Amino acid sequence: MGRRKFRSSEFWFIGLAIAVGAASGLATVALGSIARGIQHLLFGLPDEQRLSMVASLSPVQLAMLPLGGAVLAGFSWAVRSRKRTLVDAVEANALHGGRMSMTDSLIIAIQTAISNGFGASVGLEAGYAQLGSAAGSAVGLGLGARRADLRILVGAGAGASIAAAFGTPLAGAFYAFEIVIGAYTPAAIAPIVAGSLAGSLVAHAMGAPPYAVEAVNSTLAVRGDHYILYSLLGAICAIIAVALMRAVAAVEWGTRRVGLPSWARPAIGGALMIPIAAWSPQVLSAGHGALGTDLAVGASLQFLAIVLVAKSLASVVSLGFGFRGGLFFASLFLGTLAGHLFAGLVALAAGYQILPSGDAALVGMAAMAVAVIGAPLTMAMLVFEATKSFLLTGAVMAASLIASTIVRETFGYSFSTWRLHLRGETIKSARDVGWVKLLTAGRMMRHEVQEIPADATAAEFRRRYPLGAVSRVVLTDANGDYAGIIPPAIVYAEGVTPETVIGTLARTPLPPLSPQDDIVAIMGKFDVVQADELAVVGNDGVVLGTLSEKFVRKRYAEELEKAQRELFGE
């Protein structure tokens, strides 16, 4: 009875999303407290101080970085996480219909807490979103939710975790739409927003300090020429972000190329982090302490440039050498630095302050984050909820859209989908393409195969397959392997004698389908070979079945219509 209520009533489903959001808020508060607790214990920080705010680090404190890498490697070995692929929210919603493992999600969360707690230059957003989305998946699977509803619950959980972290429910909701669901669906609006509000309220009720983003009060209005400059800032942030993402991939590839064992990589990365952190402690952890300091207190351009370079290097080393975390929180810090630098350099070139430094920092923060995660409206809402400024939000949108466009045209991926691309996946967003992967040749083929040896005579063919009885016959060689397809009409054509070997009548064998080919790849092969029917052949060359183009396109149209109905909640 309970399952039917949640499956058939929108009010009940919204209530379910609120429960998921509340659970995600609790998980976010707990994970953040654990990571901060590790930092305060290991680095001896005062209660209100964040790691990236410290002025200097002692040798003992710096030694925590390689120690953290060793602890992370030990934990990963203990849970054998390296022997399987851990699925995150984006991959789950894109390929698996929202199905996630709670055990795997806890592993990712603990790995993130260890990495961040020991000072690696990574953010906690990967752990937050993982726990939130896994909570949504677990609840949905427990109640037998439909595929579309399960994906919405996963999005509600992830969005609530971001809302809880920043205290910004609108930003959390748009994070769910843009990053985790991959589309703005009418059916998802109410549950996603309700879940994000619940997560934010729960975090607030528990007294958890959000990652506050505050704008410096500016006496200058956002003018028309400011939009041009902010658009240029967005382009610069896009270039930095693409370089950063490629650098992380290059370092990962390099560590494998030189043969570094996976268990040693985090400890070596931690050791390489020591000189960077000694040079600039602001690079440690996600950088939110330094972020708040830079927004509230002016700093020299030289100092900002040093921290920008150092933070970039630290993020590349941390992620490239196997620490677990994300670039989203780090990109916020990098963007503020880029914005401050840009405003300062423009002022030097013009001879007077054209752009308010604090506003430029917020625009840079948003543009850099959009270039990394690909969510312009998420960042627009984050800045709007922090500043309550419509004019500044418009500038943020201009810069963010420029950054997003440049990244899509030159790179094509966000950081999360780029990591999946390196693993061999082809997805570029969380848009549901799992049904495409499920519709394979092996699942759709007709198993009853009409076949005959290629060296059979036309007389034998005509005896076994009268004209009109079948549309295609598969030819096999002496070993019983696939040798082509022949239409019966060719064998019955005028001039073909009974003694003719039918193998000589068939044209060059059509390339067969593999059982693993998905429906998109299948339609592509049909377009290339211009055939009505193709054989499905296993790795051993044996014919497993046949598949017609008409049936394939019909199945694709049916699934596409079904996906569209789910998109609009019909």
Side-chain angles (χ1 to χ4, degrees), residues 105 150 284 307 449 505 517 565:
S105 298
L150 185 59
L284 296 180
V307 177
V449 180
L505 301 176
D517 286 343
R565 289 199 307 268

Side-chain angles (χ1 to χ4, degrees), residues 169-489:
L170 285 178
F174 278 99
Y175 180 91
F177 286 125
E178 295 184 298
I179 303 300
V180 183
I181 296 178
Y184 301 98
T185 63
I189 291 176
I192 291 293
V193 173
S196 296
L197 281 169
S200 178
L201 291 175
V202 165
H204 179 73
M206 295 185 66
Y211 292 113
V213 178
E214 298 178 358
V216 176
N217 291 330
S218 172
T219 59
L220 299 177
V222 180
R223 305 192 307 265
D225 58 328
H226 289 176
Y227 281 93
I228 297 174
L229 292 173
Y230 286 140
S231 297
L232 177 59
L233 173 58
I236 294 171
C237 288
I239 294 170
I240 295 173
V242 171
L244 193 63
M245 290 186 281
R246 287 196 178 277
V248 170
V251 171
E252 283 184 340
W253 178 84
T255 58
R256 293 188 178 93
R257 182 68 181 271
V258 299
L260 287 180
S262 59
W263 58 265
R265 289 170 55 215
I268 295 173
L272 293 175
M273 277 281 294
I274 289 178
I276 306 174
W279 183 31
S280 176
Q282 287 76 25
V283 305
L284 296 180
S285 187
H288 284 287
L291 172 68
T293 301
D294 288 337
L295 282 175
V297 181
S300 68
L301 296 182
Q302 182 180 5
F303 173 77
L304 293 175
I306 289 174
V307 177
L308 176 63
V309 173
K311 181 64 176 178
S312 300
L313 287 174
S315 296
V316 169
V317 170
S318 296
L319 292 169
F321 277 84
F323 282 100
R324 172 73 71 170
L327 268 181
F328 176 30
F329 284 7
S331 69
L332 300 177
F333 182 33
L334 290 171
T336 62
L337 296 172
H340 276 303
L341 272 171
F342 183 78
L345 293 174
V346 169
L348 286 178
Y352 66 99
Q353 191 74 34
I354 297 179
L355 298 175
S357 184
D359 289 357
L362 287 172
V363 173
M365 177 191 74
M368 187 75 74
V370 168
V372 170
I373 68 171
L377 288 179
T378 299
M379 293 311 304
M381 291 301 103
L382 180 64
V383 172
F384 176 71
E385 289 181 285
T387 66
K388 308 300 187 293
S389 171
F390 284 104
L391 288 176
L392 186 59
T393 303
V396 164
M397 282 298 299
S400 297
L401 292 175
I402 291 293
S404 177
T405 301
I406 291 175
V407 171
R408 285 201 313 271
E409 287 295 317
T410 62
F411 190 57
Y413 298 90
S414 65
F415 183 66
S416 58
T417 55
W418 172 240
R419 304 293 289 274
L420 295 175
H421 168 73
L422 295 176
R423 272 178 27 205
E425 299 291 351
T426 58
I427 62 173
K428 292 191 175 183
S429 74
R431 185 173 58 87
D432 188 11
V433 295
W435 62 271
V436 172
K437 301 293 184 181
L438 292 176
L439 290 176
T440 61
R443 289 174 179 265
M444 295 187 295
M445 68 183 181
R446 186 170 61 247
H447 293 272
E448 298 80 10
V449 180
Q450 308 297 331
E451 59 183 41
I452 191 171
D455 58 1
T457 63
E460 174 64 14
F461 185 98
R462 292 167 181 172
R463 185 185 66 79
R464 293 175 59 177
Y465 301 109
L467 187 63
V470 293
S471 60
R472 294 286 188 279
V473 178
V474 175
L475 302 179
T476 58
D477 61 17
N479 298 320
D481 295 340
Y482 172 73
I485 292 181
I486 186 170

